[in-house]
């Protein structure tokens, strides 16, 4: 760091500053003026949003910056987006300078990408395919790469494999554009229309799903695609979900093939999960318990495990503890199913009804809270359960005082939570204090067993590289 510091040994001052500025998490940046007056305690967000241009970080300067951005968006043109004071061109893969004026009047895709990021590396070939098809059809379309790479060799190698244009390496505009378009994920493909206005903030997902069919990325085209998607969902069958070419089967415990046609007419749960994922391992016993109880009632249910494991050994180890079916490890259908159901975090449980149509993508939460009683996972069943829980709470006080907590506790619907009285899991009803994030089971509060306990969650372990585990889900990236 090129600045000053409070000595590490001066813990008294550090503790005093933590208390003075109510530091609850790090990084935390407090900005003081020359007189020691607090300008902002949200300095991290200011620096991330505006960088050096936010200086001197006063309320007036931040307001001015916001007004400039709003005015720029109202008056946006392709030149205002792609040029700077020192540059009015983009570059081709062979290093030629292409004037931004040559791009005016075209539909432009601004491709925010990073070569080292797996999702970008996987998406780029798909985008190349779409780009070349559109150019082959004579469409007035161009892409400009906005690389977030910090290594010039990576940038050159990446651009050399792409048939489109780019901002120069480490161009100062890239950070400004990332802020301007509120970049939140990679890859992102922002679409600028022929008039220089933003048509769409990110069409990467649409290109993955529809390819050239998403062009020209207008609201009318997306309305058309949405209508097509609704029609597909209305006519969806289990075969249309799980069958792809010769891949018309799932596998059983002994490795034998089970035709997808044998599952028709049943309620099917698609279980997206992985052995390395701590929340997945914690949820699995609950799913097994619910599965067995539902099957004991002779209900027509089956589960299909769809693995995000990295190798066959991990898949086999996890699957051997499951009493249901699976897609084979490395099956090509996994990627298309993840796209179809927009799986961004695991575990995820999608319920397909006996008709073959999707009932819900929230079956994981339903089983976590209600167990086997959630079957058949329909909206009507959830309304029934809701009525039962409302009936359960009749006669309970709305507010109570309890010896375990200094503040008054309020009766609340909490989903799944950990009781601060007995350390066990609770469901639906709790007496809680929002100010302190404190919850008690009704039975711990009122001295009666209200049936809200559940098993303890499995202890969590570090997540797999490329994923991030936060609370009850593991997310990509």
């Amino acid at each position: 760091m090129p600045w000053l510091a409070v000595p590490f040994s001066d813990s008294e001052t550090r503790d005093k500053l933590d208390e003075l500025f109510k530091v609850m998490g790090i990084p935390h940046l407090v900005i003081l003026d020359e007189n020691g007056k607090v300008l902002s305690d949200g300095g991290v967000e200011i620096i991330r949003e505006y960088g050096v241009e936010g200086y001197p970080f006063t309320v007036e300067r931040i307001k001015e910056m916001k007004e400039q951005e709003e005015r720029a968006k109202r008056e946006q043109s392709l030149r205002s987006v792609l040029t700077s004071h020192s540059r009015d061109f983009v570059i081709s893969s062979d290093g030629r300078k292409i004037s931004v004026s040559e791009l005016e009047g075209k539909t432009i895709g601004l491709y925010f990408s990073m070569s080292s990021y797996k999702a970008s590396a996987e998406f780029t070939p798909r985008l190349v395919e779409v780009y070349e098809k559109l150019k082959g059809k004579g469409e007035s379309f161009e892409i400009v790469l906005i690389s977030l790479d910090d290594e010039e060799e990576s940038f050159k190698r990446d651009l050399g494999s792409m048939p489109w244009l780019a901002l120069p390496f480490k161009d100062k505009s890239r950070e400004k554009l990332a802020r301007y378009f509120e970049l939140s994920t990679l890859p992102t493909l922002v679409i600028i229309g022929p008039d220089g206005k933003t048509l769409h903030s990110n069409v990467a997902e649409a290109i993955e799903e529809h390819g050239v069919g998403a062009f020209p990325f207008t609201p009318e085209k997306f309305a058309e695609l949405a209508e097509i998607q609704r029609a597909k969902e209305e006519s969806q069958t289990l075969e249309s979900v799980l069958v792809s070419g010769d891949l018309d089967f799932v596998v059983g415990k002994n490795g034998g093939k089970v035709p997808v046609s044998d599952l028709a007419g049943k309620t099917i749960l698609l279980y997206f999960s992985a052995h390395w994922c701590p929340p997945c391992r914690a949820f699995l016993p609950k799913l097994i318990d619910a599965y067995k109880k539902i099957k004991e009632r002779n209900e027509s249910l089956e589960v299909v495990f769809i693995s995000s494991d990295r190798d066959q050994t991990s898949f086999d180890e996890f699957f051997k503890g499951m009493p249901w079916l699976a897609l084979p490890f490395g099956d090509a259908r996994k990627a298309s199913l993840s796209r179809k159901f927009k799986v961004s975090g695991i575990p995820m449980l999608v319920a397909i009804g006996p008709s073959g149509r999707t009932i819900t993508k929230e079956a994981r939460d339903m089983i976590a809270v209600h167990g086997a009683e959630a079957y058949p996972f329909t909206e009507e069943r959830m309304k029934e359960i809701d009525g039962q829980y409302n009936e359960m709470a009749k006669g309970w006080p709305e507010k109570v005082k309890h010896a375990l907590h200094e503040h008054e506790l309020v009766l609340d619907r909490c989903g799944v939570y950990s009781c601060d009285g007995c350390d066990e899991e609770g469901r639906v009803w709790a007496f809680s204090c929002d100010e302190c994030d404190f919850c008690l089971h009704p039975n711990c509060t009122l001295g009666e067993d209200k049936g809200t306990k559940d098993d303890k969650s499995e202890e969590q372990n570090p997540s797999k590289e490329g994923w991030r585990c936060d609370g009850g889900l593991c997310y990509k990236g």
Side-chain angles (χ1 to χ4, degrees), residues 134-153:
L134 290 174
K135 298 294 279 188
K137 292 167 63 176
E139 299 289 0
S140 184
F141 178 59
E142 193 52 75
I143 291 177
V144 177
L145 171 68
I146 302 170
S147 173
L148 302 182
D149 284 310
D150 286 324
E151 295 181 4
E152 190 167 8
E153 283 306 311

Side-chain angles (χ1 to χ4, degrees), residues 431-446:
F431 284 90
S432 64
C433 172
D434 287 341
E435 181 181 347
C436 303
D437 193 24
F438 182 91
C439 292
L440 285 182
H441 289 133
N443 59 298
C444 289
T445 310
L446 305 176

Side-chain angles (χ1 to χ4, degrees), residues 371-415:
E373 295 307 306
Y375 180 86
F377 314 106
T378 59
E379 186 177 342
E380 292 74 21
R381 179 57 185 152
M382 290 302 104
K383 288 179 180 178
E384 288 177 8
I385 292 175
D386 193 57
Q388 292 168 5
Y389 276 107
N390 286 337
E391 189 68 27
M392 175 194 297
K394 282 186 177 179
W396 293 357
E398 291 187 6
K399 297 180 180 181
V400 297
K401 289 291 292 180
H402 196 279
L404 290 178
H405 194 67
E406 58 182 323
H407 300 133
E408 193 172 47
L409 302 178
V410 178
L411 181 63
D412 195 13
R413 295 287 289 264
C414 292

Side-chain angles (χ1 to χ4, degrees), residues 256-271:
K257 295 180 179 180
V258 178
V260 171
S261 58
D262 287 0
L263 307 180
K266 296 182 178 182
T267 296
I268 305 297
L269 296 178
L270 303 180
Y271 177 42

